[in-house]
Amino acid sequence: MKHLIAAALLCVSLPAWAQERLTVALDWTPNTNHVGLYVAQAKGWFEDAGLVVDILPYTDTSSGTLVATGVAEFGILSAVGFHSQRASGADMTVVLAVVQHEAGRLVFNGEREDIQRPADLDGMTYAGFGSAWEEALISTIIRNDGGEGVFDTVTLGTSAYEALANGSVDFTLEVSTWEGVNSVLLDRPQRAFRYADFGVPDQHTTFLGGNGTWLKQNPDAAHAFVQAAQRGYQFAANNPAEAADILIAETAGMMSNPDLVHASMVALVEGGFLQDPGEPVGLIDEEMFVNITQFLFETGILRGEDGRQLTELPDVSSWFTNDYLLPSD
């Protein structure tokens, strides 16, 4: 596939929108989920496509809000955040799946003998991040293991991992390809429950999405940007060590732990999170997309423009598209 992408992009002549400037918003401080963007930037592939791309730093305003309001043409979006905003009418369409499968997991201290199964978590204390998704997710996992799904929550944000390590809380959620990798580097033994083992559908946990109106009005620029980004993620999937070095260099000292960046890239590639065999990098799986939407609907996460819980499962056919991607060989 990498040869197809390279050849296709090299054959593109600069059309009338050459050197169009656009912006892409990050969903968090730079990390390996963003690696394809930084690779494409460093390799000059955005420039080759006739684009000047500004990667916006993370702010308190979510990337989804920046994209939906047109402040940024594109953004890296968490899957659940996208579904929630799109259900309420946000002007966004996802165009590339950055992470092909669920990278999250429920984790606890690996030395805890009293936690052997999710049902054991009833009545324990969870270190959370303040979203409705967490309550629905964890209660589903516990109930599907025969428990009641009742637990205490303290909202700690990123402090959750220190709290777990020092025993202040009993469990939390983490991204296995980042916090999970870091726990190994810090020699903090953990055990985990995978969501899919307890009735939660698999999902693409991270997307690249665009402003819906802008996509319709700028199809050539949209194709050029998405395919250059896709090429960046393909390069990362094939060359994780070099891609890690590029990410570190391009973020100008923001990545304080090179070992974590390199180990995270290995976890993404070896875990099959960046690409499924025989499929192009970035492909959005319709069945997975529909299944997680149904789960979010049934658990009451999705709300309409009026703020009320949706009473009908939404038609998601316009929420995503693979049309901007280059196909595999």
Side-chain angles (χ1 to χ4, degrees):
M1 176 186 171
K2 62 181 179 179
H3 303 298
L4 174 61
I5 293 176
L9 287 174
L10 287 172
C11 289
V12 173
S13 59
L14 299 183
W17 45 261
Q19 299 307 307
E20 177 164 341
R21 181 177 292 274
L22 57 83
T23 58
V24 55
L26 301 185
D27 62 332
W28 198 247
T29 53
N31 58 67
T32 47
N33 282 351
H34 310 140
V35 66
L37 300 176
Y38 286 103
V39 168
Q41 190 82 291
K43 294 286 188 181
W45 294 333
F46 290 136
E47 184 179 2
D48 291 345
L51 303 172
V52 177
V53 175
D54 294 321
I55 301 175
L56 299 180
Y58 172 71
T59 69
D60 290 338
T61 303
S62 74
S63 56
T65 297
L66 295 176
V67 172
T69 57
V71 174
E73 287 78 19
F74 290 94
I76 300 295
L77 311 170
S78 73
V80 174
F82 165 77
H83 279 82
S84 298
Q85 289 185 287
R86 190 65 173 80
S88 64
D91 186 16
M92 291 189 291
T93 301
V94 291
V95 295
L96 181 151
V98 173
V99 180
Q100 286 295 321
H101 298 283
E102 178 62 73
R105 60 184 185 178
L106 188 156
V107 294
F108 51 95
N109 189 306
E111 298 175 351
R112 291 282 296 264
E113 295 296 331
D114 57 334
I115 304 177
Q116 298 296 326
R117 51 188 296 177
D120 294 333
L121 300 175
D122 268 332
M124 292 191 178
T125 300
Y126 163 67
F129 305 88
S131 73
W133 154 251
E134 299 160 59
E135 172 70 28
L137 171 70
I138 296 167
S139 60
T140 296
I141 290 172
I142 294 175
R143 286 198 301 268
N144 284 347
D145 189 49
E148 296 181 7
V150 178
F151 54 93
D152 296 322
T153 298
V154 291
T155 301
L156 297 178
T158 55
S159 299
Y161 305 110
E162 288 300 323
L164 183 66
N166 65 33
S168 300
V169 298
D170 299 301
F171 65 101
T172 190
L173 303 178
E174 71 173 16
V175 177
S176 62
T177 54
W178 191 257
E179 290 89 7
V181 168
N182 197 40
S183 70
V184 175
L185 296 177
L186 294 173
D187 194 25
R188 294 175 176 173
Q190 293 182 341
R191 286 183 287 137
F193 299 130
R194 294 176 61 251
Y195 307 162
D197 291 338
F198 300 94
V200 180
D202 192 11
Q203 65 170 326
H204 304 295
T205 53
T206 308
F207 289 115
L208 175 65
N211 178 274
T213 299
W214 186 90
L215 290 172
K216 292 176 183 177
Q217 294 175 348
N218 300 272
D220 292 336
H223 276 87
F225 173 79
V226 174
Q227 290 173 8
Q230 182 188 16
R231 186 179 179 187
Y233 281 106
Q234 180 68 69
F235 180 91
N238 294 337
N239 307 277
E242 186 176 349
D245 287 337
I246 290 172
L247 177 60
I248 293 167
E250 287 292 305
T251 51
M254 295 182 69
M255 315 296 292
S256 60
N257 188 345
D259 290 341
L260 173 57
V261 179
H262 279 271
S264 176
M265 281 304 307
V266 170
L268 280 168
V269 172
E270 293 187 354
F273 291 103
L274 284 185
Q275 183 175 18
D276 278 328
E279 293 185 353
V281 163
L283 188 71
I284 300 167
D285 185 291
E286 180 178 2
E287 183 178 1
M288 285 175 58
F289 197 98
V290 170
N291 287 344
I292 194 63
T293 304
Q294 183 168 350
F295 177 82
L296 295 172
F297 169 73
E298 292 175 349
T299 52
I301 303 298
L302 301 185
R303 297 179 178 273
E305 295 183 46
D306 59 2
R308 297 181 180 179
Q309 185 176 323
L310 294 186
T311 57
E312 293 184 7
L313 183 67
D315 176 5
V316 298
S317 59
S318 63
W319 290 20
F320 72 96
T321 180
N322 288 310
D323 291 347
Y324 298 101
L325 297 175
L326 284 165
S328 61
D329 292 320

